[in-house]
Amino acid sequence: PRPPCSPSPARLERGPGGEAYPVRRSRFSRIAGVAQRHRHLSASRGTFAYTVRMHRMSSLLLALAVLAALLALVPLPAGRSAPPDAGLPDVARAGAALAPPQEVLVTARPGAAGAVRARLLARGAAFVEPLGGAAANAPLAGVLRVGLRPGEDAEAAARALAALPGVARAEPNRRRSAAWRPGDPAYRDGSQWALASVAAEEAWDLAPRRGEGVAVALVDTGIDGGHEEFARPGALSPLSKNALTGALGLAAARDDGGHGTALAGIVAAAADNGRGIAGLAPRATMLAVKALDAHGWGDDATIAGAVVHAVRSGARVIVLALGGPAYSRVLHQAIAFALDRDAVVVAASGNQGAATPLFPAAFDGVLAVGAVDRHERRAAFSSFGAHLGLVAPGAGVMTTAAGGGYREATGTSFAAAHVAAAAALLLAERPNLSAGAVVDALTAQAGRRGLGAWDRERGFGLLHAARPLGSLADGSYLRGTVRDADGPVPGGSVRVVGPQGESVVRADDAGAFALDGLPPGLYSVTAEAPDAPSPEPVRRVVSPAGGYSGLALGLGGDNAVANGHFEDGLASWTASAPRAAEPSPAAAFDGSLGARLGTPLEPLPAGRAALATQVLVPQQRPRLSFAYRFRSYQPAPYNAFEVAVSGRVGARLFRSASSTPPGAWQVATLDLAPFAGERVSLEFALVTTLEVPTWLDLDAVTVTSGKRDVAMPAPGSLVADLAPPPVAARSRTTYLPVVARP
């Protein structure tokens, strides 16, 4: 084998779809190889001398240990605590930072500090220590450091103390840690620009465990377990497996292609070991499941079995940096198994540079990741489209090389590895978070350009590893828009009832509202306006990982659709076939139930699956509004979602053959003026020609009178006015398009 310091020819990196990219071993890796050989030589020459010195120092070390034990028994002065990090190793400091605070900082009102101090001592405080001294104009005048009794909760104590007479505010005395920056050479010299791009240092400050205790499964070509970056205890799981041969163990999952080792370096290369690079989650445990051969190829059966093994081996995060253009029912079953057991599944979007979805990235519930370069522009090779969730660095990123050393690698595979590492950081700090909450936190807190929440080239934005962690400390949130039949309503009121009582906020000029810093729990949210009756409240359970950033609150009004929110099941609606549509909590937009046509898990037979009702259209400014999510694994031009309103004057059709973004609701409004005062048929339908999973989530269907004249969207590719059919020959086929098989 070529020594680490010798020049190496260009290497090929393969990603999803088999695309190959030349990758060269960097100058940094050759220098590291020379340094590694020098360290080995120096160590062998100095072994004997080191042993002699250790024998001479043994008595001194014993004496120091006894002295340290005696000092530990010396009591500290009353009212004081030991320095938070004194004498603690790095792991112990991480655990200490996670410990709940045992003190509260109370700010007394002007002139009331003495009385508040006496009252707190009388209530049994362990100690009360003024921080600002006696001077009235001191910077921290009136601030008291209050020690709690053992077992008291600092958050609850702060809320109770804030209600005492003379107290302006109270907050827990939270612990902070020194900002940590790894000393690895590639990180220090800026070669790992990708970590700066995703705010790694800020994330590490918020995640002292740095991924510890979280197993990340790499279903790939294996991992080179002999690399110096994976020598730390717990870096590699003994449950690793070669799914190609069925053999268990790290040796069986040895990397013979290099792709898996490159992923592993991005996820969990050792940090602060004075060598090479640092991983984004440097204390995570990697589970190597070899499902691809040395050339980066594998089949659905092997990959599906590898996913199942990863789940059964305790993986909380699964990385699938592989893909192909055709839907697979077997692979889908394995992904569904992982999602049902609360694993975060991250997949590369593909290296074709096109909008064609690849599988498994396009499966519902999988977080598909595209690549950006060091300038945060979408890489030319990075696939995009409706299945895209996030983007992350994936062009020329420094990582580990199989056989030793380091190299630069390019592909959406490596972008997916960054996102998987960010998920591991989050799960290490909050092990009880569900997989859905982790994905929601990563997408809701991504770095966006402009005001759009999602776009087809960047998904929900660039990965930001720190913001989801910050949301854990800042509390949950509810954000959204107040709407009526004509769209957003400026200045509306939003009433929120939750664990901390009731509060009212006002929407801004664009109808947007936001409540941040909420404790987790069940919230009831209602939009109110002087000229509209209050509708039924929307109820949402927010988790510690974040909350809801796309909540839409409708103002009350006369809705001509008898059961447009589906809270009573499918009353007043007629399905075209048995089980064509079912009420489902997973389809809820602003209530507890919505209607789902089709299914994400089973292929929908070719034909139509429809849900229809009869509606009397209002006379004045009639509007049709509805919220929907449409997904198909083979959309335009084969499978589509259609809405038809038909009456005496003809029909109006809303048609979409494009999948909506993952998890994102679309709200559509149509002008029904041609049907004013008429009883019409309202039909929502899925039209399929290719038998793949296709489904529609539908909720908040309203037909009501608008309050003002507004400019409706002009008919275009999604909205079409069709000519009225002859009266004697009126039928569906006269106004609904027929989609031919390819």
Side-chain angles (χ1 to χ4, degrees):
R2 181 181 298 108
C5 58
S6 64
S8 65
R11 304 174 62 174
L12 290 181
E13 178 58 50
R14 293 190 181 274
E19 297 294 323
Y21 299 94
V23 180
R24 295 189 179 273
R25 190 181 292 269
S26 68
R27 178 175 61 86
F28 171 79
S29 69
R30 297 195 293 272
I31 296 173
V34 175
Q36 183 179 13
R37 294 176 63 200
H38 177 72
R39 285 194 298 272
H40 291 168
L41 182 60
S42 301
S44 63
R45 290 175 178 172
T47 301
F48 177 74
Y50 176 76
T51 305
V52 173
R53 286 196 298 271
M54 285 302 297
H55 280 298
R56 292 176 178 174
M57 293 176 63
S58 60
S59 59
L60 177 60
L61 292 174
L62 179 61
L64 290 175
V66 173
L67 179 61
L70 292 174
L71 289 175
L73 299 176
V74 177
L76 294 168
R80 301 278 184 182
S81 59
D85 295 338
L88 292 177
D90 198 29
V91 175
R93 283 200 301 271
L98 293 173
Q102 298 299 313
E103 300 173 355
V104 173
L105 298 178
V106 173
T107 301
R109 299 186 185 279
V116 170
R117 183 174 186 274
R119 187 176 290 110
L120 293 175
L121 289 172
R123 291 170 65 94
F127 60 85
V128 180
E129 184 178 274
L131 297 186
N137 59 350
L140 296 177
V143 179
L144 305 173
R145 180 177 178 178
V146 182
L148 302 179
R149 291 169 294 196
E152 284 189 296
D153 179 68
E155 297 285 351
R159 290 193 292 270
L161 294 178
L164 291 179
V167 174
R169 56 186 173 274
E171 61 182 325
N173 187 19
R174 298 182 177 90
R175 295 174 62 82
R176 314 283 174 178
S177 62
W180 179 76
R181 188 170 184 250
D184 305 77
Y187 186 81
R188 290 290 189 179
D189 69 13
S191 298
Q192 285 192 274
W193 61 269
L195 292 183
S197 179
V198 300
E201 284 190 20
E202 186 181 346
W204 291 328
D205 288 344
L206 296 169
R209 297 182 63 84
R210 300 184 193 115
E212 184 178 7
V214 178
V216 180
L218 304 178
V219 178
D220 215 270
T221 61
I223 296 178
D224 178 7
H227 199 288
E228 62 181 354
E229 293 289 0
F230 312 135
R232 61 180 176 84
L236 300 173
S237 171
L239 299 176
S240 297
K241 179 181 180 179
N242 188 326
L244 297 170
T245 64
L248 291 171
L250 292 171
R254 182 182 61 86
D255 188 2
D256 54 4
H259 191 263
T261 300
L263 295 175
I266 291 172
V267 174
D272 250 355
N273 61 348
R275 306 172 187 176
I277 65 171
L280 180 55
R283 291 187 187 149
T285 297
M286 289 172 293
L287 175 70
V289 190
K290 182 174 175 57
L292 306 181
D293 61 20
H295 303 288
W297 290 94
D299 56 49
D300 289 341
T302 305
I303 296 168
V307 170
V308 172
H309 173 77
V311 174
R312 289 177 171 169
S313 299
R316 294 297 311 275
V317 184
I318 300 175
V319 184
L320 296 169
L322 47 87
Y327 170 78
S328 166
R329 174 66 179 136
V330 172
L331 187 56
H332 197 177
Q333 278 184 278
I335 298 296
F337 176 81
L339 296 173
D340 287 344
R341 280 147 185 83
D342 224 21
V344 178
V345 182
V346 181
S349 69
N351 295 333
Q352 286 71 33
T356 303
L358 291 188
F359 298 93
F363 285 132
D364 192 47
V366 173
L367 183 54
V369 184
V372 296
D373 59 21
R374 64 173 63 241
H375 303 294
E376 299 184 2
R377 299 174 300 204
R378 182 182 69 84
F381 59 82
S382 180
S383 294
F384 51 92
H387 66 295
L388 188 63
L390 289 173
V391 292
V397 294
M398 183 68 72
T399 187
T400 45
Y406 305 85
R407 63 189 179 101
E408 290 182 352
T410 291
T412 54
S413 299
F414 310 106
H418 283 97
V419 173
L425 291 178
L426 200 57
L427 286 168
E429 304 307 314
R430 294 292 189 275
N432 294 328
L433 286 181
S434 68
V438 172
V439 172
D440 289 346
L442 291 174
T443 53
Q445 302 289 343
R448 294 176 174 81
R449 284 184 175 176
L451 300 177
W454 181 91
D455 67 69
R456 64 198 305 261
E457 293 200 351
R458 297 172 64 87
F460 290 102
L462 175 64
L463 170 68
H464 197 290
R467 286 177 186 160
L469 291 159
S471 71
L472 299 180
D474 296 340
S476 304
Y477 55 87
L478 288 166
R479 303 167 190 159
T481 308
V482 178
R483 313 176 56 90
D484 64 8
D486 298 325
V489 176
S493 297
V494 178
R495 184 176 302 276
V496 180
V497 180
Q500 286 188 325
E502 181 178 301
S503 59
V504 178
V505 297
R506 188 166 296 279
D508 63 15
D509 292 340
F513 67 91
L515 292 95
D516 296 317
L518 303 174
L522 175 65
Y523 286 84
S524 176
V525 192
T526 311
E528 299 176 342
D531 58 345
S534 297
E536 289 296 316
V538 175
R539 293 179 175 85
R540 287 290 185 267
V541 177
V542 298
S543 72
Y548 289 88
S549 57
L551 200 62
L553 300 180
L555 287 171
D558 295 328
N559 182 11
V561 181
N563 187 31
H565 290 260
F566 304 103
E567 306 310 320
D568 300 323
L570 296 180
S572 307
W573 294 85
T574 302
S576 62
R579 301 184 65 82
E582 293 183 344
S584 171
F589 172 67
D590 65 356
S592 59
L593 288 176
R596 172 164 286 183
L597 285 76
T599 173
L601 298 177
E602 295 290 342
L604 192 67
R608 294 178 61 84
L611 193 63
T613 189
Q614 297 292 315
V615 178
L616 180 61
V617 179
Q619 289 280 1
Q620 301 295 324
R621 302 187 183 92
R623 307 279 191 262
L624 166 64
S625 178
F626 54 91
Y628 74 97
R629 292 187 298 193
F630 167 63
R631 297 295 302 278
S632 176
Y633 292 151
Q634 290 291 342
Y638 311 118
N639 300 338
F641 157 50
E642 296 179 346
V643 183
V645 181
S646 57
R648 293 191 306 272
V649 298
R652 179 156 191 170
L653 178 74
F654 174 101
R655 186 173 194 276
S656 175
S658 298
S659 291
T660 54
W665 285 90
Q666 306 293 313
V667 178
T669 302
L670 299 180
D671 187 1
L672 297 185
F675 305 95
E678 184 181 348
R679 182 169 293 277
V680 299
S681 173
L682 173 61
E683 182 185 65
F684 297 88
L686 291 180
V687 180
T688 58
T689 60
L690 295 183
E691 296 185 7
V692 296
T694 301
W695 70 102
L696 167 71
D697 292 335
L698 179 68
D699 202 4
V701 182
T702 62
V703 174
T704 187
S705 298
K707 297 181 178 62
R708 52 190 181 275
D709 291 318
V710 295
M712 300 299 293
S717 59
L718 296 183
V719 181
D721 287 306
L722 305 180
V727 175
R730 186 175 298 122
S731 66
R732 287 181 180 173
T733 56
T734 60
Y735 62 86
L736 290 178
V738 178
V739 182
R741 284 185 179 274

